[in-house]
Amino acid sequence: MTATQTPPAATQRPLSMTEAIESRRSIRQFVQEPLNQDDLREILRLASLAPSAWNAQTWRFAVVQTPELKEQLREAAYGQPQVTSAPAVIVIYSDMEDTLQTAEDTAHPGLGDAGRTQQRATFDGAFGAQDTAQRGQWGLTQANIAFGFLMLAARGLGYDTVPMLGFDQGKVRQILDLPEHVQFAGILPLGKRAEEGYPHHRHSVERVAKFY
């Protein structure tokens, strides 16, 4: 298979949500083969179905597959090897300024022109008086929801990931030529596991939940 060919799509059945959650691991060593591009787009499509307040959809995905850019991202991530081991690396960030500029596009088509007008009024009223950093933080809370969906969508189609927050944000902005105002949810190496990873070790429900 040449570097320009796309490997066949995964033949296994999609995992159930329970199976995806229970089998997800943080994987740092990946099989060295190109990522099926149809699978990649489907993972991104599923992640894009994440909910957000007012349907704001503040998340954006920078998908890096070229070796040169992955090497730069690895350097920005303090040399963590999973960045170059994975066939694809997704940088998840929020762009609240773009969201505000295109607020009408997030109104449901079924609401017509009135819905588009109301969506603009809602966003202007909620965020117009805030500074860029304040509304950027709100946008990040929405992008974090999509980050979780992205990991489960990947696992559901038989792929593996490892969420990363240890990186130089300024360098990543520069590498990807992103605006200064964007907020990063994280970096997500993506591919097929070449290791099993550690089994889950989590608090019990009784430890983390209170019932009223």
Side-chain angles (χ1 to χ4, degrees), residues 69 72-73 168-180 184:
L69 277 182
Q72 293 179 48
L73 285 178
D168 186 317
Q169 296 193 10
K171 287 184 178 179
V172 173
R173 283 193 184 90
Q174 184 178 23
I175 292 167
L176 301 178
D177 193 26
L178 297 175
E180 186 65 29
F184 291 102

Side-chain angles (χ1 to χ4, degrees), residues 58-64 69 72-73 76 89-98 132 140 167-187:
T58 64
W59 49 77
R60 304 291 184 268
F61 307 118
V63 183
V64 178
L69 277 182
Q72 293 179 48
L73 285 178
V89 179
I90 303 175
V91 179
I92 303 94
Y93 63 98
S94 67
D95 190 337
M96 193 61 186
E97 299 309 297
D98 180 59
T132 302
L140 180 59
F167 56 92
D168 186 317
Q169 296 193 10
K171 287 184 178 179
V172 173
R173 283 193 184 90
Q174 184 178 23
I175 292 167
L176 301 178
D177 193 26
L178 297 175
E180 186 65 29
H181 62 259
V182 304
Q183 301 274 354
F184 291 102
I187 292 177

